[in-house]
Amino acid sequence: MELLKLATEWAKAEIFSTRFFLLFAIGFLIASVGFWQLGKTDLAKAYIIPTLVAGILLLIIGSGLNYTNIQRVKQFEKDFNTDASAFYQSEIERSEGTLKEYTIVFKVIPILIIIAALLILFVNTPTWRAISITAIAMLTVILLVDGTAHSRIESYHKVLKLVDTENKK
């Protein structure tokens, strides 16, 4: 039962964490409406579309991850009760795969932030400045939420490996 409790607690923490994508998405969408209604300068008007796109992307990411983790919590108990050893092995493999994916994420996103920062330096138009700054803000949100998720799954994976395979129930 310890294994099922551990997996369920991890998934519930993921559900809580992914809701931050939704909160930031709402923030970007509100900003887009604000720029649309109140923007007077070319730069303020240039933020309308990038913040709208960033809000929609974060909304899609947050909704998808939230739904996936809610379904995962329901599926954990079924899989555990069907075959605890197979469940244990699948969780080990899944957590290892996710850790490898985070390695890529934490290399690609900083590179994208650097590219966006360079665009701010070398392309001096309101549209590109708004796109670059919005991209940096959105990518920072992703790093913030994924950083905590990475830490959580790393800890989950370590504890999983310590669970006695004979006493999983």
PDB file of all heavy atoms in Angstrom, residues 63-89:
ATOM      1  N   SER A  63      -4.121  22.740 -18.987  1.00  0.00           N
ATOM      2  CA  SER A  63      -5.312  21.883 -19.052  1.00  0.00           C
ATOM      3  C   SER A  63      -4.934  20.450 -19.372  1.00  0.00           C
ATOM      4  O   SER A  63      -5.458  19.512 -18.768  1.00  0.00           O
ATOM      5  CB  SER A  63      -6.279  22.401 -20.130  1.00  0.00           C
ATOM      6  OG  SER A  63      -6.698  23.691 -19.827  1.00  0.00           O
ATOM      7  N   GLY A  64      -4.027  20.282 -20.321  1.00  0.00           N
ATOM      8  CA  GLY A  64      -3.611  18.935 -20.710  1.00  0.00           C
ATOM      9  C   GLY A  64      -2.928  18.190 -19.572  1.00  0.00           C
ATOM     10  O   GLY A  64      -3.256  17.029 -19.298  1.00  0.00           O
ATOM     11  N   LEU A  65      -2.009  18.858 -18.912  1.00  0.00           N
ATOM     12  CA  LEU A  65      -1.301  18.204 -17.797  1.00  0.00           C
ATOM     13  C   LEU A  65      -2.235  17.943 -16.619  1.00  0.00           C
ATOM     14  O   LEU A  65      -2.140  16.900 -15.968  1.00  0.00           O
ATOM     15  CB  LEU A  65      -0.118  19.058 -17.354  1.00  0.00           C
ATOM     16  CG  LEU A  65       1.053  19.119 -18.325  1.00  0.00           C
ATOM     17  CD1 LEU A  65       2.085  20.134 -17.858  1.00  0.00           C
ATOM     18  CD2 LEU A  65       1.682  17.739 -18.486  1.00  0.00           C
ATOM     19  N   ASN A  66      -3.123  18.872 -16.365  1.00  0.00           N
ATOM     20  CA  ASN A  66      -4.077  18.692 -15.271  1.00  0.00           C
ATOM     21  C   ASN A  66      -4.982  17.487 -15.535  1.00  0.00           C
ATOM     22  O   ASN A  66      -5.163  16.628 -14.666  1.00  0.00           O
ATOM     23  CB  ASN A  66      -4.904  19.969 -15.098  1.00  0.00           C
ATOM     24  CG  ASN A  66      -5.608  20.025 -13.775  1.00  0.00           C
ATOM     25  OD1 ASN A  66      -5.036  19.678 -12.759  1.00  0.00           O
ATOM     26  ND2 ASN A  66      -6.846  20.469 -13.796  1.00  0.00           N
ATOM     27  N   TYR A  67      -5.514  17.402 -16.739  1.00  0.00           N
ATOM     28  CA  TYR A  67      -6.384  16.271 -17.101  1.00  0.00           C
ATOM     29  C   TYR A  67      -5.615  14.946 -17.026  1.00  0.00           C
ATOM     30  O   TYR A  67      -6.111  13.962 -16.466  1.00  0.00           O
ATOM     31  CB  TYR A  67      -6.952  16.474 -18.515  1.00  0.00           C
ATOM     32  CG  TYR A  67      -7.772  15.312 -18.991  1.00  0.00           C
ATOM     33  CD1 TYR A  67      -9.076  15.125 -18.550  1.00  0.00           C
ATOM     34  CD2 TYR A  67      -7.234  14.377 -19.875  1.00  0.00           C
ATOM     35  CE1 TYR A  67      -9.827  14.046 -18.967  1.00  0.00           C
ATOM     36  CE2 TYR A  67      -7.976  13.293 -20.303  1.00  0.00           C
ATOM     37  CZ  TYR A  67      -9.273  13.132 -19.850  1.00  0.00           C
ATOM     38  OH  TYR A  67     -10.005  12.057 -20.269  1.00  0.00           O
ATOM     39  N   THR A  68      -4.408  14.942 -17.572  1.00  0.00           N
ATOM     40  CA  THR A  68      -3.598  13.717 -17.574  1.00  0.00           C
ATOM     41  C   THR A  68      -3.339  13.219 -16.155  1.00  0.00           C
ATOM     42  O   THR A  68      -3.461  12.026 -15.871  1.00  0.00           O
ATOM     43  CB  THR A  68      -2.255  13.980 -18.280  1.00  0.00           C
ATOM     44  OG1 THR A  68      -2.520  14.390 -19.611  1.00  0.00           O
ATOM     45  CG2 THR A  68      -1.378  12.747 -18.282  1.00  0.00           C
ATOM     46  N   ASN A  69      -2.990  14.147 -15.258  1.00  0.00           N
ATOM     47  CA  ASN A  69      -2.687  13.724 -13.886  1.00  0.00           C
ATOM     48  C   ASN A  69      -3.928  13.314 -13.109  1.00  0.00           C
ATOM     49  O   ASN A  69      -3.860  12.411 -12.273  1.00  0.00           O
ATOM     50  CB  ASN A  69      -1.913  14.828 -13.162  1.00  0.00           C
ATOM     51  CG  ASN A  69      -0.486  14.885 -13.640  1.00  0.00           C
ATOM     52  OD1 ASN A  69       0.181  13.853 -13.742  1.00  0.00           O
ATOM     53  ND2 ASN A  69      -0.015  16.070 -13.967  1.00  0.00           N
ATOM     54  N   ILE A  70      -5.065  13.917 -13.388  1.00  0.00           N
ATOM     55  CA  ILE A  70      -6.317  13.474 -12.740  1.00  0.00           C
ATOM     56  C   ILE A  70      -6.636  12.045 -13.180  1.00  0.00           C
ATOM     57  O   ILE A  70      -6.994  11.200 -12.347  1.00  0.00           O
ATOM     58  CB  ILE A  70      -7.473  14.445 -13.077  1.00  0.00           C
ATOM     59  CG1 ILE A  70      -7.268  15.772 -12.323  1.00  0.00           C
ATOM     60  CG2 ILE A  70      -8.820  13.827 -12.720  1.00  0.00           C
ATOM     61  CD1 ILE A  70      -8.225  16.874 -12.727  1.00  0.00           C
ATOM     62  N   GLN A  71      -6.478  11.765 -14.472  1.00  0.00           N
ATOM     63  CA  GLN A  71      -6.719  10.411 -14.974  1.00  0.00           C
ATOM     64  C   GLN A  71      -5.700   9.425 -14.397  1.00  0.00           C
ATOM     65  O   GLN A  71      -6.024   8.282 -14.102  1.00  0.00           O
ATOM     66  CB  GLN A  71      -6.649  10.385 -16.508  1.00  0.00           C
ATOM     67  CG  GLN A  71      -7.721  11.204 -17.179  1.00  0.00           C
ATOM     68  CD  GLN A  71      -9.123  10.822 -16.735  1.00  0.00           C
ATOM     69  OE1 GLN A  71      -9.487   9.656 -16.686  1.00  0.00           O
ATOM     70  NE2 GLN A  71      -9.909  11.832 -16.376  1.00  0.00           N
ATOM     71  N   ARG A  72      -4.463   9.906 -14.224  1.00  0.00           N
ATOM     72  CA  ARG A  72      -3.396   9.052 -13.686  1.00  0.00           C
ATOM     73  C   ARG A  72      -3.717   8.602 -12.260  1.00  0.00           C
ATOM     74  O   ARG A  72      -3.502   7.444 -11.921  1.00  0.00           O
ATOM     75  CB  ARG A  72      -2.075   9.823 -13.734  1.00  0.00           C
ATOM     76  CG  ARG A  72      -0.882   8.999 -13.364  1.00  0.00           C
ATOM     77  CD  ARG A  72       0.401   9.749 -13.584  1.00  0.00           C
ATOM     78  NE  ARG A  72       0.722   9.750 -15.013  1.00  0.00           N
ATOM     79  CZ  ARG A  72       1.348  10.727 -15.638  1.00  0.00           C
ATOM     80  NH1 ARG A  72       1.729  11.803 -14.997  1.00  0.00           N
ATOM     81  NH2 ARG A  72       1.627  10.624 -16.917  1.00  0.00           N
ATOM     82  N   VAL A  73      -4.238   9.501 -11.448  1.00  0.00           N
ATOM     83  CA  VAL A  73      -4.591   9.147 -10.063  1.00  0.00           C
ATOM     84  C   VAL A  73      -5.633   8.030 -10.069  1.00  0.00           C
ATOM     85  O   VAL A  73      -5.531   7.065  -9.295  1.00  0.00           O
ATOM     86  CB  VAL A  73      -5.108  10.378  -9.289  1.00  0.00           C
ATOM     87  CG1 VAL A  73      -5.722   9.979  -7.960  1.00  0.00           C
ATOM     88  CG2 VAL A  73      -3.978  11.368  -9.063  1.00  0.00           C
ATOM     89  N   LYS A  74      -6.632   8.158 -10.946  1.00  0.00           N
ATOM     90  CA  LYS A  74      -7.683   7.128 -11.026  1.00  0.00           C
ATOM     91  C   LYS A  74      -7.096   5.792 -11.499  1.00  0.00           C
ATOM     92  O   LYS A  74      -7.489   4.728 -11.020  1.00  0.00           O
ATOM     93  CB  LYS A  74      -8.778   7.579 -11.991  1.00  0.00           C
ATOM     94  CG  LYS A  74      -9.549   8.780 -11.511  1.00  0.00           C
ATOM     95  CD  LYS A  74     -10.547   9.233 -12.557  1.00  0.00           C
ATOM     96  CE  LYS A  74     -11.250  10.515 -12.121  1.00  0.00           C
ATOM     97  NZ  LYS A  74     -12.096  11.061 -13.189  1.00  0.00           N
ATOM     98  N   GLN A  75      -6.171   5.858 -12.459  1.00  0.00           N
ATOM     99  CA  GLN A  75      -5.611   4.648 -13.047  1.00  0.00           C
ATOM    100  C   GLN A  75      -4.634   3.950 -12.105  1.00  0.00           C
ATOM    101  O   GLN A  75      -4.502   2.714 -12.151  1.00  0.00           O
ATOM    102  CB  GLN A  75      -4.912   4.989 -14.371  1.00  0.00           C
ATOM    103  CG  GLN A  75      -4.533   3.790 -15.208  1.00  0.00           C
ATOM    104  CD  GLN A  75      -5.741   2.991 -15.678  1.00  0.00           C
ATOM    105  OE1 GLN A  75      -6.781   3.554 -16.010  1.00  0.00           O
ATOM    106  NE2 GLN A  75      -5.616   1.674 -15.676  1.00  0.00           N
ATOM    107  N   PHE A  76      -3.961   4.701 -11.239  1.00  0.00           N
ATOM    108  CA  PHE A  76      -2.964   4.109 -10.339  1.00  0.00           C
ATOM    109  C   PHE A  76      -3.554   2.983  -9.498  1.00  0.00           C
ATOM    110  O   PHE A  76      -2.966   1.921  -9.378  1.00  0.00           O
ATOM    111  CB  PHE A  76      -2.386   5.173  -9.401  1.00  0.00           C
ATOM    112  CG  PHE A  76      -1.242   5.962  -9.982  1.00  0.00           C
ATOM    113  CD1 PHE A  76      -0.775   7.084  -9.323  1.00  0.00           C
ATOM    114  CD2 PHE A  76      -0.630   5.594 -11.164  1.00  0.00           C
ATOM    115  CE1 PHE A  76       0.287   7.819  -9.832  1.00  0.00           C
ATOM    116  CE2 PHE A  76       0.420   6.325 -11.687  1.00  0.00           C
ATOM    117  CZ  PHE A  76       0.873   7.431 -11.011  1.00  0.00           C
ATOM    118  N   GLU A  77      -4.701   3.223  -8.895  1.00  0.00           N
ATOM    119  CA  GLU A  77      -5.291   2.211  -8.015  1.00  0.00           C
ATOM    120  C   GLU A  77      -5.667   0.947  -8.792  1.00  0.00           C
ATOM    121  O   GLU A  77      -5.424  -0.167  -8.324  1.00  0.00           O
ATOM    122  CB  GLU A  77      -6.512   2.772  -7.293  1.00  0.00           C
ATOM    123  CG  GLU A  77      -6.990   1.843  -6.196  1.00  0.00           C
ATOM    124  CD  GLU A  77      -8.002   2.496  -5.275  1.00  0.00           C
ATOM    125  OE1 GLU A  77      -8.142   3.721  -5.301  1.00  0.00           O
ATOM    126  OE2 GLU A  77      -8.653   1.746  -4.530  1.00  0.00           O
ATOM    127  N   LYS A  78      -6.224   1.128  -9.990  1.00  0.00           N
ATOM    128  CA  LYS A  78      -6.577  -0.036 -10.814  1.00  0.00           C
ATOM    129  C   LYS A  78      -5.331  -0.832 -11.177  1.00  0.00           C
ATOM    130  O   LYS A  78      -5.307  -2.060 -11.037  1.00  0.00           O
ATOM    131  CB  LYS A  78      -7.286   0.419 -12.099  1.00  0.00           C
ATOM    132  CG  LYS A  78      -8.650   1.000 -11.888  1.00  0.00           C
ATOM    133  CD  LYS A  78      -9.227   1.466 -13.205  1.00  0.00           C
ATOM    134  CE  LYS A  78     -10.495   2.251 -12.974  1.00  0.00           C
ATOM    135  NZ  LYS A  78     -10.960   2.923 -14.198  1.00  0.00           N
ATOM    136  N   ASP A  79      -4.298  -0.140 -11.649  1.00  0.00           N
ATOM    137  CA  ASP A  79      -3.074  -0.827 -12.065  1.00  0.00           C
ATOM    138  C   ASP A  79      -2.385  -1.501 -10.882  1.00  0.00           C
ATOM    139  O   ASP A  79      -1.886  -2.617 -11.003  1.00  0.00           O
ATOM    140  CB  ASP A  79      -2.104   0.165 -12.717  1.00  0.00           C
ATOM    141  CG  ASP A  79      -2.602   0.663 -14.055  1.00  0.00           C
ATOM    142  OD1 ASP A  79      -3.573   0.093 -14.594  1.00  0.00           O
ATOM    143  OD2 ASP A  79      -2.028   1.648 -14.560  1.00  0.00           O
ATOM    144  N   PHE A  80      -2.376  -0.825  -9.747  1.00  0.00           N
ATOM    145  CA  PHE A  80      -1.732  -1.395  -8.560  1.00  0.00           C
ATOM    146  C   PHE A  80      -2.460  -2.648  -8.107  1.00  0.00           C
ATOM    147  O   PHE A  80      -1.829  -3.666  -7.792  1.00  0.00           O
ATOM    148  CB  PHE A  80      -1.714  -0.353  -7.429  1.00  0.00           C
ATOM    149  CG  PHE A  80      -1.071  -0.860  -6.175  1.00  0.00           C
ATOM    150  CD1 PHE A  80       0.306  -0.906  -6.057  1.00  0.00           C
ATOM    151  CD2 PHE A  80      -1.845  -1.299  -5.110  1.00  0.00           C
ATOM    152  CE1 PHE A  80       0.903  -1.378  -4.905  1.00  0.00           C
ATOM    153  CE2 PHE A  80      -1.258  -1.773  -3.953  1.00  0.00           C
ATOM    154  CZ  PHE A  80       0.123  -1.810  -3.854  1.00  0.00           C
ATOM    155  N   ASN A  81      -3.796  -2.617  -8.066  1.00  0.00           N
ATOM    156  CA  ASN A  81      -4.569  -3.777  -7.623  1.00  0.00           C
ATOM    157  C   ASN A  81      -4.513  -4.923  -8.620  1.00  0.00           C
ATOM    158  O   ASN A  81      -4.676  -6.077  -8.248  1.00  0.00           O
ATOM    159  CB  ASN A  81      -6.017  -3.379  -7.345  1.00  0.00           C
ATOM    160  CG  ASN A  81      -6.118  -2.520  -6.106  1.00  0.00           C
ATOM    161  OD1 ASN A  81      -5.317  -2.653  -5.179  1.00  0.00           O
ATOM    162  ND2 ASN A  81      -7.068  -1.608  -6.092  1.00  0.00           N
ATOM    163  N   THR A  82      -4.284  -4.637  -9.884  1.00  0.00           N
ATOM    164  CA  THR A  82      -4.174  -5.682 -10.899  1.00  0.00           C
ATOM    165  C   THR A  82      -2.853  -6.439 -10.766  1.00  0.00           C
ATOM    166  O   THR A  82      -2.835  -7.667 -10.725  1.00  0.00           O
ATOM    167  CB  THR A  82      -4.278  -5.074 -12.308  1.00  0.00           C
ATOM    168  OG1 THR A  82      -5.513  -4.376 -12.405  1.00  0.00           O
ATOM    169  CG2 THR A  82      -4.193  -6.139 -13.380  1.00  0.00           C
ATOM    170  N   ASP A  83      -1.744  -5.687 -10.709  1.00  0.00           N
ATOM    171  CA  ASP A  83      -0.423  -6.313 -10.613  1.00  0.00           C
ATOM    172  C   ASP A  83       0.557  -5.303 -10.006  1.00  0.00           C
ATOM    173  O   ASP A  83       1.066  -4.427 -10.715  1.00  0.00           O
ATOM    174  CB  ASP A  83       0.051  -6.763 -12.001  1.00  0.00           C
ATOM    175  CG  ASP A  83       1.352  -7.534 -11.952  1.00  0.00           C
ATOM    176  OD1 ASP A  83       1.957  -7.648 -10.873  1.00  0.00           O
ATOM    177  OD2 ASP A  83       1.753  -8.044 -13.022  1.00  0.00           O
ATOM    178  N   ALA A  84       0.822  -5.454  -8.725  1.00  0.00           N
ATOM    179  CA  ALA A  84       1.662  -4.488  -8.006  1.00  0.00           C
ATOM    180  C   ALA A  84       3.087  -4.448  -8.561  1.00  0.00           C
ATOM    181  O   ALA A  84       3.681  -3.376  -8.669  1.00  0.00           O
ATOM    182  CB  ALA A  84       1.677  -4.806  -6.513  1.00  0.00           C
ATOM    183  N   SER A  85       3.636  -5.593  -8.927  1.00  0.00           N
ATOM    184  CA  SER A  85       5.008  -5.631  -9.454  1.00  0.00           C
ATOM    185  C   SER A  85       5.108  -4.913 -10.796  1.00  0.00           C
ATOM    186  O   SER A  85       6.061  -4.158 -11.035  1.00  0.00           O
ATOM    187  CB  SER A  85       5.479  -7.075  -9.622  1.00  0.00           C
ATOM    188  OG  SER A  85       5.586  -7.687  -8.378  1.00  0.00           O
ATOM    189  N   ALA A  86       4.139  -5.147 -11.659  1.00  0.00           N
ATOM    190  CA  ALA A  86       4.129  -4.463 -12.964  1.00  0.00           C
ATOM    191  C   ALA A  86       3.929  -2.964 -12.776  1.00  0.00           C
ATOM    192  O   ALA A  86       4.542  -2.157 -13.488  1.00  0.00           O
ATOM    193  CB  ALA A  86       3.028  -5.036 -13.852  1.00  0.00           C
ATOM    194  N   PHE A  87       3.093  -2.594 -11.821  1.00  0.00           N
ATOM    195  CA  PHE A  87       2.869  -1.178 -11.530  1.00  0.00           C
ATOM    196  C   PHE A  87       4.171  -0.534 -11.068  1.00  0.00           C
ATOM    197  O   PHE A  87       4.545   0.549 -11.531  1.00  0.00           O
ATOM    198  CB  PHE A  87       1.782  -1.014 -10.466  1.00  0.00           C
ATOM    199  CG  PHE A  87       1.573   0.404 -10.018  1.00  0.00           C
ATOM    200  CD1 PHE A  87       0.923   1.307 -10.845  1.00  0.00           C
ATOM    201  CD2 PHE A  87       2.026   0.829  -8.782  1.00  0.00           C
ATOM    202  CE1 PHE A  87       0.742   2.615 -10.450  1.00  0.00           C
ATOM    203  CE2 PHE A  87       1.850   2.132  -8.368  1.00  0.00           C
ATOM    204  CZ  PHE A  87       1.200   3.029  -9.206  1.00  0.00           C
ATOM    205  N   TYR A  88       4.864  -1.211 -10.161  1.00  0.00           N
ATOM    206  CA  TYR A  88       6.142  -0.698  -9.657  1.00  0.00           C
ATOM    207  C   TYR A  88       7.126  -0.492 -10.802  1.00  0.00           C
ATOM    208  O   TYR A  88       7.738   0.564 -10.940  1.00  0.00           O
ATOM    209  CB  TYR A  88       6.715  -1.668  -8.621  1.00  0.00           C
ATOM    210  CG  TYR A  88       8.092  -1.307  -8.149  1.00  0.00           C
ATOM    211  CD1 TYR A  88       8.283  -0.283  -7.228  1.00  0.00           C
ATOM    212  CD2 TYR A  88       9.213  -1.985  -8.628  1.00  0.00           C
ATOM    213  CE1 TYR A  88       9.558   0.068  -6.794  1.00  0.00           C
ATOM    214  CE2 TYR A  88      10.490  -1.652  -8.201  1.00  0.00           C
ATOM    215  CZ  TYR A  88      10.652  -0.628  -7.283  1.00  0.00           C
ATOM    216  OH  TYR A  88      11.914  -0.287  -6.870  1.00  0.00           O
ATOM    217  N   GLN A  89       7.248  -1.507 -11.645  1.00  0.00           N
ATOM    218  CA  GLN A  89       8.199  -1.421 -12.757  1.00  0.00           C
ATOM    219  C   GLN A  89       7.812  -0.308 -13.726  1.00  0.00           C
ATOM    220  O   GLN A  89       8.667   0.432 -14.201  1.00  0.00           O
ATOM    221  CB  GLN A  89       8.279  -2.779 -13.486  1.00  0.00           C
ATOM    222  CG  GLN A  89       9.412  -2.855 -14.473  1.00  0.00           C
ATOM    223  CD  GLN A  89      10.777  -2.613 -13.814  1.00  0.00           C
ATOM    224  OE1 GLN A  89      11.048  -3.077 -12.699  1.00  0.00           O
ATOM    225  NE2 GLN A  89      11.628  -1.847 -14.480  1.00  0.00           N
TER     226      GLN A  89
END
